[in-house]
Protein backbone atom coordinates (compact mmCIF):
# COMPACT_ATOMS: atom_id res chain seq x y z
CA UNK A 1 0.00 0.00 0.00
CA UNK A 2 1.56 3.30 -1.12
CA UNK A 3 1.22 6.83 0.10
CA UNK A 4 -1.33 9.32 -1.14
CA UNK A 5 -0.19 12.04 -3.54
CA UNK A 6 -1.62 14.69 -1.19
CA UNK A 7 -0.03 15.18 2.20
CA UNK A 8 -1.83 15.21 5.56
CA UNK A 9 0.99 17.00 7.42
CA UNK A 10 2.74 20.25 6.50
CA UNK A 11 5.46 22.37 8.06
CA UNK A 12 5.36 26.18 7.83
CA UNK A 13 8.32 28.54 7.81
CA UNK A 14 9.36 31.91 6.42
CA UNK A 15 12.58 33.42 5.19
CA UNK A 16 13.38 37.12 4.78
CA UNK A 17 15.75 37.63 1.86
CA UNK A 18 17.32 40.38 -0.15
CA UNK A 19 16.15 40.29 -3.73
CA UNK A 20 18.83 40.15 -6.41
CA UNK A 21 17.07 42.91 -8.31
CA UNK A 22 15.33 45.98 -6.98
CA UNK A 23 11.91 44.79 -5.90
CA UNK A 24 9.01 47.00 -6.86
CA UNK A 25 7.42 46.44 -3.46
CA UNK A 26 9.60 45.75 -0.48
CA UNK A 27 9.40 46.06 3.27
CA UNK A 28 11.69 45.93 6.30
CA UNK A 29 11.87 42.89 8.62
CA UNK A 30 13.12 44.43 11.87
CA UNK A 31 13.83 41.09 13.55
CA UNK A 32 16.15 40.00 10.72
CA UNK A 33 17.29 43.52 9.76
CA UNK A 34 16.56 42.80 6.10
CA UNK A 35 14.78 45.13 3.71
CA UNK A 36 13.16 43.39 0.74
CA UNK A 37 10.90 40.32 0.51
CA UNK A 38 9.79 37.35 2.62
CA UNK A 39 9.15 33.83 1.33
CA UNK A 40 6.50 31.84 3.21
CA UNK A 41 6.78 28.07 2.71
CA UNK A 42 4.66 25.01 3.35
CA UNK A 43 6.61 21.75 2.95
CA UNK A 44 5.75 18.10 3.49
CA UNK A 45 7.66 15.73 5.80
CA UNK A 46 10.25 15.13 3.09
CA UNK A 47 10.90 18.85 2.67
CA UNK A 48 9.17 19.02 -0.71
CA UNK A 49 7.49 22.40 -1.28
CA UNK A 50 3.70 22.23 -1.20
CA UNK A 51 3.09 26.00 -1.49
CA UNK A 52 5.10 29.22 -1.56
CA UNK A 53 3.78 32.73 -0.96
CA UNK A 54 5.93 35.84 -1.47
CA UNK A 55 5.26 39.05 0.48
CA UNK A 56 7.14 42.16 1.47
CA UNK A 57 9.55 41.54 4.37
CA UNK A 58 7.45 43.54 6.85
CA UNK A 59 4.56 41.00 6.71
CA UNK A 60 4.60 38.84 9.85
CA UNK A 61 5.20 35.11 9.64
CA UNK A 62 1.69 34.46 10.95
CA UNK A 63 -0.06 36.79 8.49
CA UNK A 64 1.91 35.39 5.55
CA UNK A 65 1.14 31.83 6.60
CA UNK A 66 -2.60 32.53 6.90
CA UNK A 67 -2.56 34.02 3.38
CA UNK A 68 -0.59 31.00 2.08
CA UNK A 69 -3.10 28.58 3.62
CA UNK A 70 -6.12 30.53 2.37
CA UNK A 71 -4.75 30.79 -1.18
CA UNK A 72 -4.04 27.04 -1.23
CA UNK A 73 -6.92 25.75 0.89
CA UNK A 74 -8.19 23.36 -1.79
CA UNK A 75 -4.74 21.79 -2.11
CA UNK A 76 -4.59 21.36 1.69
CA UNK A 77 -8.02 19.75 2.06
CA UNK A 78 -6.47 16.51 3.38
CA UNK A 79 -4.05 18.22 5.81
CA UNK A 80 -4.83 17.32 9.43
CA UNK A 81 -1.76 18.74 11.21
CA UNK A 82 0.41 21.81 10.66
CA UNK A 83 3.77 22.26 12.43
CA UNK A 84 5.73 25.49 12.84
CA UNK A 85 8.34 27.06 15.10
CA UNK A 86 7.77 29.49 17.98
CA UNK A 87 7.32 32.44 15.61
CA UNK A 88 3.82 31.14 14.91
CA UNK A 89 2.59 30.89 18.50
CA UNK A 90 -0.71 32.29 19.62
CA UNK A 91 -4.25 31.14 20.13
CA UNK A 92 -5.48 33.37 17.32
CA UNK A 93 -3.11 31.78 14.78
CA UNK A 94 -4.10 28.24 15.78
CA UNK A 95 -7.74 29.25 15.40
CA UNK A 96 -7.10 30.75 11.97
CA UNK A 97 -5.38 27.55 10.82
CA UNK A 98 -8.34 25.54 12.13
CA UNK A 99 -10.92 27.74 10.40
CA UNK A 100 -8.95 28.06 7.13
CA UNK A 101 -7.98 24.43 6.44
CA UNK A 102 -9.53 22.53 9.40
CA UNK A 103 -6.17 21.35 10.75
CA UNK A 104 -4.54 21.11 14.18
CA UNK A 105 -1.62 23.48 14.87
CA UNK A 106 1.54 22.07 16.51
CA UNK A 107 4.34 24.35 17.73
CA UNK A 108 7.79 22.70 17.69
CA UNK A 109 9.73 23.49 20.84
CA UNK A 110 13.49 23.49 20.68
Amino acid sequence: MGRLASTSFIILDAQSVKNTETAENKGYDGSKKISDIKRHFAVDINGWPQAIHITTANVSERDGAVALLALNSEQFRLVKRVMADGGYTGENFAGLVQSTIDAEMIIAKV
Side-chain angles (χ1 to χ4, degrees):
M1 181 174 203
R3 290 184 150 199
L4 294 174
S6 297
T7 185
S8 63
F9 183 88
I10 58 172
I11 302 164
L12 299 174
D13 205 0
Q15 181 181 42
S16 294
V17 294
K18 290 189 178 196
N19 201 353
T20 56
E21 295 185 24
T22 304
E24 184 176 312
N25 297 312
K26 60 182 177 177
Y28 184 73
D29 183 349
S31 65
K32 305 283 191 216
K33 298 184 178 23
I34 292 179
S35 176
D36 238 329
I37 63 170
K38 189 176 284 187
R39 299 183 288 218
H40 304 271
F41 296 96
V43 300
D44 65 14
I45 60 170
N46 295 315
W48 289 101
Q50 300 298 305
I52 299 171
H53 182 59
I54 308 296
T55 64
T56 56
N58 60 310
V59 173
S60 74
E61 292 178 347
R62 291 182 297 272
D63 290 344
V66 169
L68 178 140
L69 294 173
L71 290 168
N72 296 280
S73 61
E74 182 59 31
Q75 177 180 332
F76 295 141
R77 69 187 180 285
L78 298 178
V79 171
K80 296 299 173 207
R81 289 188 182 85
V82 176
M83 181 178 276
D85 62 24
Y88 296 86
T89 57
E91 196 65 34
N92 291 341
F93 181 70
L96 288 170
V97 170
Q98 181 71 40
S99 66
T100 304
I101 63 167
D102 194 25
E104 173 190 5
M105 186 68 215
I106 302 167
I107 300 298
K109 297 186 175 152
V110 181

